[in-house]
Protein backbone atom coordinates (compact mmCIF):
# COMPACT_ATOMS: atom_id res chain seq x y z
CA UNK A 1 0.00 0.00 0.00
CA UNK A 2 2.85 2.34 0.95
CA UNK A 3 4.48 1.58 -2.41
CA UNK A 4 1.23 2.37 -4.19
CA UNK A 5 0.88 5.75 -2.47
CA UNK A 6 4.55 6.54 -3.11
CA UNK A 7 4.12 5.62 -6.80
CA UNK A 8 1.11 7.87 -7.23
CA UNK A 9 2.88 10.69 -5.38
CA UNK A 10 5.95 10.36 -7.58
CA UNK A 11 3.88 10.24 -10.75
CA UNK A 12 2.04 13.39 -9.67
CA UNK A 13 5.34 15.14 -8.94
CA UNK A 14 6.72 14.22 -12.34
CA UNK A 15 3.57 15.36 -14.11
CA UNK A 16 3.49 18.70 -12.29
CA UNK A 17 7.21 19.26 -12.86
CA UNK A 18 7.02 18.35 -16.50
CA UNK A 19 3.83 20.33 -17.06
CA UNK A 20 5.57 23.39 -15.64
CA UNK A 21 8.02 23.07 -18.48
CA UNK A 22 5.19 23.34 -21.01
CA UNK A 23 4.96 27.01 -20.04
CA UNK A 24 8.60 27.49 -20.98
CA UNK A 25 8.06 25.54 -24.21
CA UNK A 26 5.03 27.69 -25.04
CA UNK A 27 6.85 30.92 -24.30
CA UNK A 28 10.08 30.11 -26.10
CA UNK A 29 9.00 27.94 -29.02
CA UNK A 30 5.33 28.61 -29.70
CA UNK A 31 4.60 32.27 -29.01
CA UNK A 32 7.25 33.63 -31.43
CA UNK A 33 4.97 32.23 -34.20
CA UNK A 34 2.24 34.63 -33.12
CA UNK A 35 4.11 37.81 -34.02
CA UNK A 36 1.75 40.43 -35.40
CA UNK A 37 -1.28 38.94 -33.63
CA UNK A 38 -2.72 39.66 -30.17
CA UNK A 39 -2.54 36.51 -28.09
CA UNK A 40 -5.69 35.09 -26.53
CA UNK A 41 -5.43 34.92 -22.71
CA UNK A 42 -6.49 31.29 -22.51
CA UNK A 43 -3.69 28.83 -21.91
CA UNK A 44 -3.82 25.51 -23.72
CA UNK A 45 -0.72 23.43 -23.21
CA UNK A 46 -0.31 20.02 -21.67
CA UNK A 47 1.65 16.82 -21.77
CA UNK A 48 0.47 14.49 -24.48
CA UNK A 49 1.38 10.91 -25.08
CA UNK A 50 1.53 9.41 -28.56
CA UNK A 51 -1.99 8.62 -29.69
CA UNK A 52 -3.54 11.32 -27.50
CA UNK A 53 -6.21 13.56 -28.97
CA UNK A 54 -7.84 16.73 -27.67
CA UNK A 55 -10.58 18.93 -29.00
CA UNK A 56 -11.24 22.61 -28.42
CA UNK A 57 -14.50 24.36 -29.17
CA UNK A 58 -13.62 27.94 -30.04
CA UNK A 59 -15.71 30.95 -31.02
CA UNK A 60 -14.25 33.23 -33.67
CA UNK A 61 -15.75 36.62 -34.41
CA UNK A 62 -16.82 37.69 -37.88
CA UNK A 63 -14.72 40.30 -39.68
CA UNK A 64 -11.50 39.37 -37.90
CA UNK A 65 -8.27 37.72 -38.94
CA UNK A 66 -6.95 34.93 -36.76
CA UNK A 67 -3.87 32.81 -36.41
CA UNK A 68 -3.87 29.38 -34.85
CA UNK A 69 -0.55 27.89 -33.79
CA UNK A 70 -0.40 24.23 -32.83
CA UNK A 71 2.96 22.79 -31.86
CA UNK A 72 4.33 19.68 -30.25
CA UNK A 73 7.77 19.36 -28.77
CA UNK A 74 10.18 17.63 -31.19
CA UNK A 75 10.34 14.62 -28.88
CA UNK A 76 6.88 13.76 -30.24
CA UNK A 77 5.92 12.89 -33.81
CA UNK A 78 4.61 15.88 -35.80
CA UNK A 79 1.26 16.95 -34.40
CA UNK A 80 -1.81 16.70 -36.65
CA UNK A 81 -4.59 19.23 -36.37
CA UNK A 82 -7.89 19.84 -38.06
CA UNK A 83 -10.46 22.63 -38.00
CA UNK A 84 -14.08 21.56 -38.30
CA UNK A 85 -17.44 23.22 -37.97
CA UNK A 86 -19.92 22.07 -35.35
CA UNK A 87 -21.41 19.60 -37.85
CA UNK A 88 -18.00 17.94 -38.06
CA UNK A 89 -17.46 19.26 -41.59
CA UNK A 90 -13.72 19.37 -42.22
CA UNK A 91 -12.56 22.89 -43.11
CA UNK A 92 -8.81 22.62 -42.75
CA UNK A 93 -6.16 20.02 -42.08
CA UNK A 94 -2.47 20.62 -41.60
CA UNK A 95 -1.66 17.31 -43.34
CA UNK A 96 -1.45 19.01 -46.75
CA UNK A 97 -0.25 22.42 -45.52
CA UNK A 98 3.24 23.73 -46.21
CA UNK A 99 3.47 25.15 -42.67
CA UNK A 100 2.33 22.35 -40.41
CA UNK A 101 2.07 24.49 -37.30
CA UNK A 102 0.42 27.74 -38.35
CA UNK A 103 -3.03 28.34 -39.80
CA UNK A 104 -4.08 31.87 -40.80
CA UNK A 105 -7.70 32.52 -41.60
CA UNK A 106 -10.41 35.16 -41.72
CA UNK A 107 -13.92 34.84 -40.38
CA UNK A 108 -16.67 36.37 -42.51
CA UNK A 109 -19.20 35.73 -39.75
CA UNK A 110 -19.04 34.68 -36.10
CA UNK A 111 -18.95 30.94 -35.68
CA UNK A 112 -17.96 28.15 -33.34
CA UNK A 113 -15.26 25.91 -34.72
CA UNK A 114 -13.69 22.77 -33.39
CA UNK A 115 -9.93 22.40 -33.33
CA UNK A 116 -8.95 18.75 -33.10
CA UNK A 117 -5.35 17.98 -32.17
CA UNK A 118 -3.78 14.55 -32.34
CA UNK A 119 -0.34 13.17 -31.71
CA UNK A 120 0.17 10.16 -34.03
CA UNK A 121 0.95 6.85 -32.41
CA UNK A 122 4.30 5.46 -33.55
CA UNK A 123 3.18 1.96 -32.40
CA UNK A 124 6.39 1.48 -30.43
CA UNK A 125 6.51 -0.46 -27.17
CA UNK A 126 7.33 2.67 -25.21
CA UNK A 127 5.16 5.70 -25.63
CA UNK A 128 6.80 9.09 -25.81
CA UNK A 129 5.39 12.04 -23.93
CA UNK A 130 5.77 15.75 -24.60
CA UNK A 131 4.20 19.18 -24.52
CA UNK A 132 1.53 20.16 -27.03
CA UNK A 133 0.38 23.78 -27.19
CA UNK A 134 -2.52 25.41 -28.99
CA UNK A 135 -2.59 29.23 -29.09
CA UNK A 136 -4.86 31.59 -30.95
CA UNK A 137 -4.32 35.22 -31.75
CA UNK A 138 -6.26 37.90 -33.57
CA UNK A 139 -5.14 40.91 -35.59
CA UNK A 140 -5.78 44.12 -33.69
CA UNK B 1 -1.17 -4.42 -11.49
CA UNK B 2 1.19 -3.97 -8.52
CA UNK B 3 4.20 -4.68 -10.78
CA UNK B 4 2.93 -2.18 -13.30
CA UNK B 5 2.59 0.53 -10.65
CA UNK B 6 6.03 -0.18 -9.23
CA UNK B 7 7.36 -0.03 -12.80
CA UNK B 8 5.62 3.26 -13.26
CA UNK B 9 7.17 4.51 -10.03
CA UNK B 10 10.61 3.68 -11.41
CA UNK B 11 9.84 5.59 -14.60
CA UNK B 12 8.50 8.37 -12.40
CA UNK B 13 11.60 8.42 -10.21
CA UNK B 14 13.89 8.71 -13.22
CA UNK B 15 11.63 11.33 -14.75
CA UNK B 16 11.42 13.27 -11.49
CA UNK B 17 15.22 13.30 -11.22
CA UNK B 18 15.39 14.49 -14.82
CA UNK B 19 12.91 17.25 -14.12
CA UNK B 20 14.80 18.36 -11.02
CA UNK B 21 18.05 18.31 -12.96
CA UNK B 22 16.66 20.39 -15.83
CA UNK B 23 15.15 22.84 -13.34
CA UNK B 24 18.46 23.72 -11.72
CA UNK B 25 19.79 27.24 -11.86
CA UNK B 26 22.32 27.90 -14.58
CA UNK B 27 20.66 25.40 -16.86
CA UNK B 28 18.63 27.89 -18.86
CA UNK B 29 18.83 25.98 -22.13
CA UNK B 30 17.75 22.76 -20.50
CA UNK B 31 14.90 24.55 -18.77
CA UNK B 32 13.37 25.60 -22.05
CA UNK B 33 13.51 22.07 -23.35
CA UNK B 34 10.98 19.34 -23.05
CA UNK B 35 11.55 16.51 -20.55
CA UNK B 36 12.22 13.58 -22.87
CA UNK B 37 10.92 10.94 -20.55
CA UNK B 38 9.14 7.86 -21.71
CA UNK B 39 6.18 6.38 -20.00
CA UNK B 40 4.05 3.35 -20.58
CA UNK B 41 0.38 4.00 -21.21
CA UNK B 42 -1.84 2.45 -18.58
CA UNK B 43 -5.14 2.78 -16.80
CA UNK B 44 -4.32 6.37 -15.87
CA UNK B 45 -5.30 7.24 -19.47
CA UNK B 46 -8.88 8.07 -18.62
CA UNK B 47 -7.80 10.41 -15.81
CA UNK B 48 -5.41 12.14 -18.21
CA UNK B 49 -8.12 12.54 -20.84
CA UNK B 50 -10.34 14.16 -18.20
CA UNK B 51 -7.46 16.42 -17.20
CA UNK B 52 -6.89 17.46 -20.83
CA UNK B 53 -10.56 18.48 -21.05
CA UNK B 54 -9.98 20.82 -18.12
CA UNK B 55 -6.88 22.33 -19.69
CA UNK B 56 -8.00 22.68 -23.31
CA UNK B 57 -10.55 25.44 -23.30
CA UNK B 58 -10.87 28.68 -25.18
CA UNK B 59 -13.22 31.63 -25.38
CA UNK B 60 -12.57 34.93 -27.17
CA UNK B 61 -10.44 37.45 -25.36
CA UNK B 62 -12.01 40.53 -23.65
CA UNK B 63 -9.58 42.53 -25.82
CA UNK B 64 -11.68 41.60 -28.86
CA UNK B 65 -14.82 43.08 -27.29
CA UNK B 66 -12.94 46.21 -26.25
CA UNK B 67 -11.47 46.70 -29.71
CA UNK B 68 -14.93 46.45 -31.26
CA UNK B 69 -16.11 49.26 -28.95
CA UNK B 70 -13.19 51.42 -30.04
CA UNK B 71 -13.59 50.53 -33.73
CA UNK B 72 -17.19 51.73 -33.59
CA UNK B 73 -15.93 55.18 -32.66
CA UNK B 74 -17.08 55.23 -29.04
CA UNK B 75 -15.09 56.98 -26.33
CA UNK B 76 -13.43 55.66 -23.18
CA UNK B 77 -15.52 55.85 -20.02
CA UNK B 78 -13.74 55.19 -16.74
CA UNK B 79 -17.02 55.15 -14.80
CA UNK B 80 -17.97 51.83 -16.38
CA UNK B 81 -14.98 50.05 -14.84
CA UNK B 82 -14.47 48.43 -11.46
CA UNK B 83 -12.59 51.03 -9.39
CA UNK B 84 -9.05 49.98 -8.50
CA UNK B 85 -9.64 51.24 -4.95
CA UNK B 86 -11.86 48.19 -4.42
CA UNK B 87 -8.91 45.83 -4.67
CA UNK B 88 -8.27 45.65 -0.91
CA UNK B 89 -11.85 44.64 -0.22
CA UNK B 90 -11.61 41.31 -1.97
CA UNK B 91 -11.24 38.38 0.38
CA UNK B 92 -11.55 34.71 -0.39
CA UNK B 93 -10.33 32.93 -3.48
CA UNK B 94 -13.58 33.09 -5.45
CA UNK B 95 -14.06 36.85 -5.15
CA UNK B 96 -10.36 37.48 -5.74
CA UNK B 97 -10.25 35.26 -8.84
CA UNK B 98 -13.37 36.76 -10.40
CA UNK B 99 -12.08 40.28 -9.80
CA UNK B 100 -8.70 39.35 -11.20
CA UNK B 101 -10.57 38.54 -14.42
CA UNK B 102 -12.67 41.71 -14.16
CA UNK B 103 -9.56 43.85 -13.73
CA UNK B 104 -8.02 42.02 -16.70
CA UNK B 105 -10.93 43.01 -18.94
CA UNK B 106 -10.79 46.60 -17.63
CA UNK B 107 -7.07 46.61 -18.28
CA UNK B 108 -7.66 45.43 -21.86
CA UNK B 109 -10.27 48.16 -22.34
CA UNK B 110 -7.94 50.85 -20.97
CA UNK B 111 -5.08 49.56 -23.13
CA UNK B 112 -7.18 49.48 -26.31
CA UNK B 113 -8.12 53.12 -25.69
CA UNK B 114 -4.45 53.91 -25.08
CA UNK B 115 -5.06 55.08 -21.50
CA UNK B 116 -1.47 54.75 -20.34
CA UNK B 117 -1.85 55.75 -16.70
CA UNK B 118 -5.08 53.79 -16.29
CA UNK B 119 -3.45 50.70 -17.78
CA UNK B 120 -0.60 50.93 -15.29
CA UNK B 121 -3.03 51.41 -12.39
CA UNK B 122 -5.17 48.44 -13.41
CA UNK B 123 -2.14 46.25 -13.92
CA UNK B 124 -0.93 47.17 -10.42
CA UNK B 125 -4.36 46.27 -8.98
CA UNK B 126 -4.28 42.93 -10.81
CA UNK B 127 -0.78 42.32 -9.49
CA UNK B 128 -1.94 43.02 -5.95
CA UNK B 129 -4.71 40.45 -6.29
CA UNK B 130 -2.41 37.89 -7.90
CA UNK B 131 0.07 38.31 -5.03
CA UNK B 132 -2.70 37.96 -2.43
CA UNK B 133 -3.67 34.70 -4.14
CA UNK B 134 -0.05 33.49 -4.23
CA UNK B 135 -0.06 33.28 -8.02
CA UNK B 136 3.49 33.36 -9.26
CA UNK B 137 3.01 33.72 -12.98
CA UNK B 138 2.76 36.46 -15.57
CA UNK B 139 1.64 39.35 -13.43
CA UNK B 140 4.67 40.42 -11.45
CA UNK B 141 7.07 43.32 -10.87
CA UNK B 142 9.13 42.60 -13.98
CA UNK B 143 5.98 42.79 -16.15
CA UNK B 144 5.09 46.13 -14.55
CA UNK B 145 8.57 47.42 -15.40
CA UNK B 146 8.16 46.18 -18.98
CA UNK B 147 4.74 47.80 -19.22
CA UNK B 148 6.18 51.14 -18.06
CA UNK B 149 8.97 50.84 -20.59
CA UNK B 150 6.63 50.22 -23.54
CA UNK B 151 3.66 52.33 -22.44
CA UNK B 152 3.89 54.56 -25.52
CA UNK B 153 3.40 51.64 -27.87
CA UNK B 154 -0.19 50.37 -27.70
CA UNK B 155 0.53 47.11 -29.54
CA UNK B 156 3.38 46.29 -27.16
CA UNK B 157 1.16 47.08 -24.16
CA UNK B 158 -1.54 44.75 -25.50
CA UNK B 159 1.04 42.05 -26.09
CA UNK B 160 2.37 42.39 -22.54
CA UNK B 161 -1.10 42.43 -20.96
CA UNK B 162 -2.52 39.44 -22.87
CA UNK B 163 0.75 37.54 -22.47
CA UNK B 164 0.72 38.16 -18.71
CA UNK B 165 -2.84 36.88 -18.33
CA UNK B 166 -2.13 33.84 -20.52
CA UNK B 167 0.91 33.03 -18.39
CA UNK B 168 -1.14 33.51 -15.24
CA UNK B 169 -3.72 31.04 -16.53
CA UNK B 170 -0.91 28.67 -17.45
CA UNK B 171 0.51 28.92 -13.94
CA UNK B 172 -2.89 28.15 -12.42
CA UNK B 173 -3.53 25.20 -14.71
CA UNK B 174 -0.10 23.74 -14.10
CA UNK B 175 -0.38 24.07 -10.36
CA UNK B 176 -3.68 22.26 -10.06
CA UNK B 177 -5.68 25.43 -9.58
CA UNK B 178 -7.70 25.02 -12.76
CA UNK B 179 -10.92 26.12 -11.04
CA UNK B 180 -9.27 29.43 -10.16
CA UNK B 181 -8.31 29.86 -13.82
CA UNK B 182 -11.94 29.15 -14.81
CA UNK B 183 -13.09 31.88 -12.41
CA UNK B 184 -10.55 34.39 -13.77
CA UNK B 185 -11.73 33.67 -17.33
CA UNK B 186 -15.38 33.94 -16.24
CA UNK B 187 -14.73 37.29 -14.53
CA UNK B 188 -13.11 38.63 -17.70
CA UNK B 189 -16.01 37.44 -19.83
CA UNK B 190 -18.58 38.95 -17.45
CA UNK B 191 -16.82 42.33 -17.45
CA UNK B 192 -16.43 42.41 -21.24
CA UNK B 193 -20.15 41.65 -21.58
CA UNK B 194 -20.95 44.39 -19.04
CA UNK B 195 -18.89 46.92 -21.01
CA UNK B 196 -20.55 46.01 -24.30
CA UNK B 197 -23.99 46.27 -22.69
CA UNK B 198 -23.26 49.85 -21.62
CA UNK B 199 -22.46 50.81 -25.21
CA UNK B 200 -25.43 48.90 -26.62
CA UNK B 201 -27.69 51.64 -25.28
CA UNK B 202 -25.89 54.27 -27.36
CA UNK B 203 -26.75 55.22 -30.96
CA UNK B 204 -25.34 53.23 -33.89
CA UNK B 205 -24.68 50.18 -31.76
CA UNK B 206 -25.86 47.48 -34.19
CA UNK B 207 -22.53 45.67 -34.27
CA UNK B 208 -22.22 45.85 -30.47
CA UNK B 209 -25.71 44.35 -30.14
CA UNK B 210 -24.77 41.64 -32.62
CA UNK B 211 -21.64 40.85 -30.57
CA UNK B 212 -23.71 40.67 -27.38
CA UNK B 213 -26.06 38.20 -29.06
CA UNK B 214 -23.10 36.11 -30.16
CA UNK B 215 -22.20 35.65 -26.52
CA UNK B 216 -24.84 32.93 -26.54
CA UNK B 217 -22.26 30.76 -28.34
CA UNK B 218 -19.40 31.84 -26.08
CA UNK B 219 -21.39 31.14 -22.92
CA UNK B 220 -22.31 27.71 -24.26
CA UNK B 221 -18.57 26.91 -24.48
CA UNK B 222 -17.93 28.34 -21.02
CA UNK B 223 -20.70 26.31 -19.41
CA UNK B 224 -19.60 23.18 -21.23
CA UNK B 225 -16.19 23.78 -19.68
CA UNK B 226 -17.76 24.09 -16.23
CA UNK B 227 -19.33 20.67 -16.74
CA UNK B 228 -15.86 19.10 -16.82
CA UNK B 229 -15.41 20.10 -13.15
CA UNK B 230 -18.47 18.15 -11.95
CA UNK B 231 -19.78 20.09 -8.97
CA UNK B 232 -16.76 21.83 -7.51
CA UNK B 233 -18.00 24.08 -4.66
CA UNK B 234 -15.67 26.93 -5.68
CA UNK B 235 -17.42 27.13 -9.04
CA UNK B 236 -20.99 26.68 -7.83
CA UNK B 237 -21.90 30.34 -7.41
CA UNK B 238 -20.43 31.47 -10.73
CA UNK B 239 -21.98 28.50 -12.53
CA UNK B 240 -25.41 29.44 -11.15
CA UNK B 241 -24.87 33.05 -12.24
CA UNK B 242 -23.79 31.99 -15.74
CA UNK B 243 -26.86 29.76 -16.03
CA UNK B 244 -29.01 32.76 -15.16
CA UNK B 245 -27.36 34.77 -17.92
CA UNK B 246 -27.82 31.85 -20.30
CA UNK B 247 -31.58 31.95 -19.70
CA UNK B 248 -31.61 35.49 -21.11
CA UNK B 249 -29.13 34.79 -23.90
CA UNK B 250 -31.20 31.81 -25.02
CA UNK B 251 -33.80 34.36 -26.14
CA UNK B 252 -31.33 35.57 -28.77
CA UNK B 253 -32.07 34.17 -32.19
CA UNK B 254 -29.06 33.08 -34.21
CA UNK B 255 -29.53 32.12 -37.84
CA UNK B 256 -26.76 30.47 -39.84
CA UNK B 257 -26.28 28.63 -43.09
CA UNK B 258 -23.80 26.03 -44.25
CA UNK B 259 -20.15 26.76 -43.57
CA UNK B 260 -18.24 27.86 -46.63
CA UNK B 261 -14.51 28.11 -47.18
CA UNK B 262 -13.07 30.42 -49.82
CA UNK B 263 -9.90 32.28 -50.59
CA UNK B 264 -9.88 36.08 -50.29
CA UNK B 265 -8.07 38.29 -52.83
CA UNK B 266 -5.10 38.56 -50.49
CA UNK B 267 -4.90 34.76 -50.35
CA UNK B 268 -6.21 34.34 -46.81
CA UNK B 269 -8.61 31.46 -46.26
CA UNK B 270 -12.04 32.82 -45.34
CA UNK B 271 -14.51 30.82 -43.28
CA UNK B 272 -18.11 31.71 -42.60
CA UNK B 273 -21.67 30.51 -42.30
CA UNK B 274 -23.43 33.88 -42.61
CA UNK B 275 -24.58 33.78 -39.00
CA UNK B 276 -26.63 36.63 -37.61
CA UNK B 277 -27.65 37.17 -34.02
CA UNK B 278 -30.81 39.13 -33.34
CA UNK B 279 -31.28 40.62 -29.89
CA UNK B 280 -34.65 42.18 -29.11
CA UNK B 281 -34.78 45.39 -27.08
CA UNK B 282 -36.45 43.79 -24.07
CA UNK B 283 -33.89 40.97 -24.04
CA UNK B 284 -31.08 43.50 -24.13
CA UNK B 285 -32.63 45.46 -21.28
CA UNK B 286 -33.18 42.36 -19.15
CA UNK B 287 -29.66 41.17 -19.87
CA UNK B 288 -28.22 44.51 -18.81
CA UNK B 289 -30.14 44.47 -15.51
CA UNK B 290 -29.12 40.88 -14.81
CA UNK B 291 -25.43 41.34 -15.66
CA UNK B 292 -25.29 44.51 -13.55
CA UNK B 293 -26.83 42.62 -10.61
CA UNK B 294 -24.42 39.69 -10.90
CA UNK B 295 -21.38 41.89 -11.48
CA UNK B 296 -22.13 44.16 -8.53
CA UNK B 297 -22.28 41.09 -6.26
CA UNK B 298 -18.65 40.30 -7.13
CA UNK B 299 -17.20 43.82 -7.29
CA UNK B 300 -18.98 45.13 -4.16
Amino acid sequence: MKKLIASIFLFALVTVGANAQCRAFTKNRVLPNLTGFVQNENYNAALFMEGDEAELLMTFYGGKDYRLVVMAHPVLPEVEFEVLDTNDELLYTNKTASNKNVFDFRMSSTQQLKVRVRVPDSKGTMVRQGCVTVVAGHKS
Amino acid sequence: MKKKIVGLAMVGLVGFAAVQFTSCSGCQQAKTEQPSMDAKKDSMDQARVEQLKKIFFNIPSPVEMASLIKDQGYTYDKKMLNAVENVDKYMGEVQQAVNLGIYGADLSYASIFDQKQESMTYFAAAKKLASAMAIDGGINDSTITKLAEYQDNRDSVLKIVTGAYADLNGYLKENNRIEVSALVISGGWLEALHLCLQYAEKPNSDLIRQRIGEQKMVLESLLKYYESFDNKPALAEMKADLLEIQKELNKVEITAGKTTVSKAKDGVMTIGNGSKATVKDDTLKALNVLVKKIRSKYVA
Side-chain angles (χ1 to χ4, degrees):
Chain A
M1 188 61 190
K2 273 182 185 172
K3 273 183 183 171
L4 177 68
I5 293 167
S7 310
I8 292 168
F9 178 68
L10 274 172
F11 187 81
L13 273 177
V14 171
T15 305
V16 168
N19 264 328
Q21 297 199 16
C22 285
R23 256 166 84 215
F25 167 72
T26 302
K27 209 171 181 174
N28 298 315
R29 303 274 189 100
V30 184
L31 290 181
N33 291 285
L34 214 56
T35 306
F37 289 79
V38 179
Q39 183 190 352
N40 183 296
E41 290 95 337
N42 296 278
Y43 174 87
N44 296 301
L47 284 175
F48 275 56
M49 285 181 176
E50 289 178 37
D52 275 351
E53 189 175 298
E55 194 175 273
L56 268 153
L57 181 67
M58 301 171 84
T59 305
F60 296 98
Y61 290 137
K64 294 199 86 80
D65 282 14
Y66 289 94
R67 173 170 286 183
L68 206 57
V69 183
V70 182
M71 283 182 85
H73 190 274
V75 74
L76 290 172
E78 198 155 70
V79 68
E80 294 170 358
F81 76 96
E82 293 172 337
V83 178
L84 309 101
D85 70 7
T86 47
N87 296 319
D88 278 336
E89 192 77 36
L90 181 69
L91 309 174
Y92 171 83
T93 172
N94 74 332
K95 276 183 191 165
T96 50
S98 52
N99 187 335
K100 302 278 183 201
N101 302 115
V102 174
F103 174 42
D104 286 341
F105 59 102
R106 182 172 296 147
M107 295 301 295
S108 60
S109 53
T110 299
Q111 187 172 350
Q112 286 179 311
L113 298 176
K114 289 181 192 174
V115 178
R116 198 171 285 160
V117 180
R118 198 173 79 84
V119 176
D121 197 338
S122 65
K123 312 279 183 206
T125 47
M126 292 299 282
V127 180
R128 286 173 289 174
Q129 182 177 249
C131 293
V132 172
T133 299
V134 179
V135 288
H138 69 274
K139 266 208 176 137
S140 63
Chain B
M1 179 64 184
K2 213 170 179 181
K3 269 184 185 172
K4 201 173 186 183
I5 291 169
V6 173
L8 186 64
M10 290 306 290
V11 172
L13 191 60
V14 173
F16 180 61
V19 168
Q20 295 307 302
F21 176 73
T22 56
S23 298
C24 68
S25 60
C27 303
Q28 200 53 41
Q29 182 57 33
K31 203 173 179 180
T32 62
E33 294 299 315
Q34 170 66 27
S36 59
M37 57 187 179
D38 291 348
K40 201 164 178 82
K41 280 197 156 187
D42 70 349
S43 58
M44 280 183 163
D45 272 6
Q46 195 49 41
R48 285 183 338 93
V49 168
E50 289 306 313
Q51 189 69 0
L52 283 181
K53 275 188 193 166
K54 289 180 186 170
I55 291 175
F56 278 74
F57 163 73
N58 204 94
I59 59 169
S61 163
V63 175
E64 293 185 72
M65 301 276 262
S67 62
L68 177 70
I69 293 168
K70 184 159 192 298
D71 291 346
Q72 297 306 298
Y74 295 112
T75 52
Y76 179 77
D77 188 350
K78 189 184 168 179
K79 292 197 296 293
M80 292 178 185
L81 309 182
N82 180 21
V84 284
E85 291 75 23
N86 288 338
V87 69
D88 294 318
K89 292 198 299 194
Y90 303 135
M91 300 293 163
E93 201 165 55
V94 172
Q95 202 186 20
Q96 287 174 330
V98 173
N99 279 288
L100 190 52
I102 287 175
Y103 280 141
D106 289 345
L107 176 56
S108 298
Y109 172 78
S111 305
I112 283 285
F113 279 92
D114 219 3
Q115 299 291 313
K116 300 180 181 72
Q117 196 49 48
E118 289 287 304
S119 301
M120 292 297 292
T121 313
Y122 273 93
F123 201 89
K127 195 236 159 193
K128 204 168 186 181
L129 270 184
S131 300
M133 297 169 72
I135 300 172
D136 179 25
I139 300 179
N140 48 39
D141 286 332
S142 70
T143 324
I144 289 185
T145 310
K146 218 158 115 186
L147 203 58
E149 194 182 328
Y150 290 97
Q151 63 174 319
D152 290 328
N153 184 329
R154 196 193 73 149
D155 287 348
S156 297
V157 168
L158 278 178
K159 192 178 170 189
I160 294 166
V161 168
T162 54
Y165 264 81
D167 195 50
L168 176 134
N169 281 310
Y171 174 87
L172 290 170
K173 284 181 176 176
E174 291 185 349
N175 287 277
N176 294 322
R177 294 170 75 184
I178 306 181
E179 298 90 341
V180 181
S181 171
L183 288 169
V184 174
I185 296 287
S186 304
W189 178 79
L190 186 70
E191 185 71 349
L193 178 61
H194 158 75
L195 290 173
C196 269
L197 282 164
Q198 306 321 299
Y199 287 94
E201 292 169 353
K202 298 179 187 291
N204 306 316
S205 58
D206 289 359
L207 274 175
I208 303 265
R209 286 171 71 119
Q210 164 88 6
R211 190 57 40 93
I212 289 167
E214 290 163 358
Q215 298 313 301
K216 182 179 176 180
M217 300 182 224
V218 179
L219 184 56
E220 187 190 306
S221 298
L222 187 53
L223 280 166
K224 201 173 171 190
Y225 184 53
Y226 269 65
E227 280 169 22
S228 64
F229 294 96
D230 297 322
N231 289 314
K232 288 268 182 188
L235 297 177
E237 187 183 357
M238 180 55 88
K239 188 179 176 183
D241 291 334
L242 295 176
L243 284 167
E244 278 295 303
I245 297 173
Q246 191 179 45
K247 273 186 205 161
E248 281 305 323
L249 278 173
N250 278 345
K251 293 174 188 165
V252 173
E253 195 189 328
I254 298 180
T255 54
K258 194 175 159 33
T259 308
T260 58
V261 179
S262 58
K263 220 164 205 180
K265 279 179 187 164
D266 57 3
V268 177
M269 187 186 277
T270 305
I271 300 171
N273 63 1
S275 77
K276 187 162 171 50
T278 309
V279 192
K280 288 184 178 151
D281 288 344
D282 55 345
T283 304
L284 196 69
K285 213 170 179 181
L287 197 57
N288 200 2
V289 171
L290 179 63
V291 170
K292 263 186 189 156
K293 190 183 97 183
I294 291 169
R295 177 185 179 269
S296 58
K297 190 177 67 169
Y298 289 104
V299 303

